[in-house]
Amino acid sequence: MATLYERLGGLDAITSVVDSVVDRQAGDDRINRKFGRTDVPHLKRNFVDQLCEATGGPCTYTGRSMPETHHGMQVTAGEFDAFIQDLEGVLDEFNVPKPEHDELLDLLLSMRDEIVEVASPVTGTPLPDAYRAYQAAR
């Protein structure tokens, strides 16, 4: 049986989905404040590697763990849900078949408890001043 990676269309398809999701989230007032100090190219690279590896592809995710990455961001349950809704919208735009759509969502939903720090449906909360985003070596 083909891996989810293969059924999604491989690295090019995953990269296109990640680019579209990140672009959609940049315009989504429910969550875009959480990305205010994000190194977007770094985020995209890591998200592609993470999805590629998690779906059975040849990539290796070398980024920080989800708890380490999101610690102190005060991500709300509502903001996580908005992230998932944005991803679902992109998967629909790309006409990803329902079995692959659901399987990919299940992978990301399994990380919910590692990312959400505030059990609230509120969205659009600011990134706390104390949060220090990843800084690429210069």
Side-chain angles (χ1 to χ4, degrees), residues 21 41 60 68 96 110 134:
V21 167
T60 301
E68 184 181 6
V96 173
S110 72
Y134 169 84

Side-chain angles (χ1 to χ4, degrees), residues 39-92:
D39 177 338
V40 174
H42 176 80
L43 168 71
K44 286 182 177 182
R45 281 191 306 274
N46 274 320
F47 197 15
V48 166
D49 285 347
Q50 185 179 35
L51 290 182
C52 174
E53 181 180 286
T55 59
C59 306
T60 301
Y61 175 69
T62 59
R64 299 181 296 167
S65 70
M66 291 301 94
E68 184 181 6
T69 298
H70 297 90
H71 178 74
M73 286 182 77
Q74 297 296 300
V75 174
T76 68
E79 289 163 341
F80 183 86
D81 292 344
F83 169 85
I84 294 296
Q85 289 165 5
D86 285 344
L87 175 62
E88 286 185 292
V90 168
L91 295 176
D92 289 344

Side-chain angles (χ1 to χ4, degrees), residues 16-45:
S16 292
V17 165
V18 166
D19 286 342
S20 292
V21 167
V22 172
D23 289 347
R24 182 179 284 225
Q25 291 167 347
D28 186 341
D29 291 340
R30 298 175 301 165
I31 60 174
N32 59 12
R33 295 177 77 187
K34 294 297 187 191
F35 296 98
R37 297 191 297 268
T38 298
D39 177 338
V40 174
H42 176 80
L43 168 71
K44 286 182 177 182
R45 281 191 306 274

